[in-house]
Amino acid sequence: MSKIVRRVAFGVAALGAVALLAAVYLAVAPATAVPSAAAATAAPGTSPSPSSSASSSGSPSPSPSITPTPAPPLTFVPPMSPRAKSTNVSFAAHITLHFSSALAADTPLPRLKPAVPGVWKIVDHTALVFVAQGHLPIYTRLYLTVPGGSRGVLAADGARLAKGFTVSFTVGGPSSLPRLRQLLAELNYLPVRFMVPTSGGRYVSALGRESHQLDLVPLKPRSGRFFWRYHHIPSGLNALWRSGVSTVMLKGAIMEFESDHKMATDGVAGRAVWTAVLKAAAKHLMTRRPYRYLEVSTAVPETLRVWSNGRIIYTSACNTGIASRPTARGTFPVYARYLSTTMSGTNPDGSHYSDPGVPYVAYFNGGDAVHGFIRGSYGWPQSLGCVELPYGAAAVVYRYDPIGTLVAVS
């Protein structure tokens, strides 16, 4: 019995010793962290440990958000065509602008001032090209504005042209004499009419087919044919007509047109002439004046004939230049007219003359003119180069020889 008591006492003592040792260990040993939902969240600015990649419920944590890379800015790639500040640009030119990225189909478009009928097209994805419906306005400075900013040119990736700009260039004029000849014929300034074919093979007036919009009137020759407006054409006039060749006939027509439109009558197809001719064509405004032509024959008896709209309407005896001062042969357009003027010069003997009040004067070649002059007779050489007529005849002829009228001396 005593042995049992001693063993129990020894066991209790041993358990007490173990308890004491455990208490001492807990007092001095470091505490061990216990995983929890709060402890699994990484502190701001630190990377989570592998053991904290899942929440206490076992679900994966969301990945960090990624900011998309912005599209590169859209830029204009110079130079444009035609170049800024260029002059004498072809009226048939296209306007081309290149950009650094492909363009959106609904991109805002550049603007032209003055406005020009036509369309902008996207070509090769990165270029804007303007094609005029007819042609660029001749002799005109065009201003091109390319939009920028929030309403600027738009790229397919959403980028915009940051800053817009405005440039200008000047359009030149046409120089096609064949086309000018067509237009003057349409406007009745030539003894021929210009006609264009229909789908049925017939020919109709070209003027009736010209656009009423100035920028749509063609500046290059059209397909068509010329027809004489009259049945009876003097041989001299017929010889002057050469299709595709500039002749005195065309010069005379230009001068008559210039006179009708209050321009200097130099017979040169410059800016003013082309602009006025195109405006007249667009308005379908042809002259109602008959086409007239003066024939002067130096065969004795010398005569002057007025041909108008296909027939001779007046004939008169006249005087031409003497042998030492002959009237030049050839065909010349009337370039100046005076109801009355003073004519002066040098006689063959070296003396000077001055004749005031010479009536019904139409100069056609240097100092040579058709005019009235009192002589004892007419029909043979008596002048110093002019074509002299009796006063009454000169008054009649003066009604038929406006600026540009051709005077043919043979």
Side-chain angles (χ1 to χ4, degrees):
M1 182 69 182
S2 60
K3 287 182 180 180
I4 294 173
V5 172
R6 286 196 299 271
R7 287 178 180 174
V8 170
F10 176 79
V12 171
L15 287 174
V18 171
L20 178 62
L21 288 173
V24 172
Y25 175 79
L26 290 174
V28 299
T32 301
V34 178
S36 67
T41 303
T46 63
S47 299
S49 64
S51 62
S52 63
S53 60
S55 65
S56 59
S57 63
S59 300
S61 299
S63 301
S65 61
I66 300 174
T67 303
T69 303
L74 180 67
T75 59
F76 165 67
V77 181
M80 62 173 280
S81 177
R83 291 176 179 269
K85 299 182 180 180
S86 56
T87 59
N88 201 31
V89 171
S90 171
F91 55 80
H94 295 168
I95 302 172
T96 304
L97 301 165
H98 292 277
F99 295 89
S100 59
S101 301
L103 300 173
D106 59 346
T107 178
L109 300 172
R111 300 182 302 277
L112 285 169
K113 185 178 180 180
V116 179
V119 294
W120 284 97
K121 300 178 180 179
I122 298 176
V123 177
D124 295 333
H125 305 295
T126 61
L128 279 175
V129 178
F130 179 78
V131 180
Q133 185 176 348
H135 55 80
L136 299 179
I138 63 172
Y139 303 111
T140 301
R141 172 169 282 189
L142 283 178
Y143 292 87
L144 174 70
T145 298
V146 180
S150 61
R151 296 184 179 181
V153 177
L154 177 65
D157 60 11
R160 295 255 185 198
L161 184 66
K163 187 176 181 180
F165 58 90
T166 297
V167 295
S168 68
F169 56 87
T170 303
V171 182
S175 59
S176 171
L177 290 181
R179 179 55 177 155
L180 181 62
R181 185 181 293 105
Q182 291 178 355
L183 290 168
L184 288 173
E186 292 176 35
L187 299 174
N188 279 354
Y189 283 93
L190 288 167
V192 294
R193 60 169 54 94
F194 180 64
M195 306 185 77
V196 293
T198 64
S199 57
R202 296 172 49 248
Y203 280 85
V204 297
S205 167
L207 185 63
R209 300 296 179 92
E210 297 290 5
S211 172
H212 285 283
Q213 191 164 342
L214 183 61
D215 293 341
L216 301 186
V217 176
L219 298 180
K220 296 181 179 179
R222 300 178 62 182
S223 296
R225 290 181 58 188
F226 289 99
F227 296 87
W228 287 106
R229 289 163 57 187
Y230 317 105
H231 293 296
H232 169 60
I233 304 296
S235 59
L237 191 60
N238 186 48
L240 290 175
W241 180 253
R242 296 287 185 273
S243 181
V245 178
S246 178
T247 69
V248 69
M249 184 187 290
L250 179 60
K251 182 177 181 179
I254 294 172
M255 292 174 68
E256 187 173 353
F257 180 88
E258 289 172 325
S259 178
D260 286 351
H261 290 78
K262 314 302 180 186
M263 305 177 195
T265 53
D266 57 6
V268 177
R271 173 176 182 168
V273 167
W274 269 105
T275 301
V277 165
L278 289 171
K279 286 181 179 179
K283 294 179 180 180
H284 295 193
L285 295 178
M286 62 179 118
T287 180
R288 300 297 178 183
R289 185 187 298 113
Y291 189 88
R292 288 157 180 159
Y293 173 72
L294 303 187
E295 293 182 304
V296 177
S297 172
T298 58
V300 178
E302 296 182 323
T303 57
L304 180 147
R305 291 183 292 271
V306 178
W307 181 89
S308 177
N309 274 9
R311 62 191 180 92
I312 300 296
I313 63 170
Y314 189 74
T315 301
S316 172
C318 67
N319 303 325
T320 63
I322 60 177
S324 61
R325 296 287 183 83
T327 305
R329 306 300 192 265
T331 304
F332 313 91
V334 171
Y335 69 88
R337 301 174 79 242
Y338 303 94
L339 189 60
S340 178
T341 190
T342 297
M343 303 185 77
S344 58
T346 304
N347 291 307
D349 61 6
S351 62
H352 295 278
Y353 68 89
S354 180
D355 297 323
V358 177
Y360 311 117
V361 179
Y363 283 99
F364 61 87
N365 179 36
D368 294 349
V370 175
H371 62 83
F373 202 79
I374 297 176
R375 295 284 188 184
S377 62
Y378 299 87
W380 52 283
Q382 298 181 67
S383 76
L384 298 181
C386 289
V387 178
E388 299 174 344
L389 297 168
Y391 275 15
V396 173
V397 173
Y398 192 73
R399 300 201 301 264
Y400 303 133
D401 60 5
I403 298 294
T405 302
L406 299 182
V407 180
V409 181
S410 61

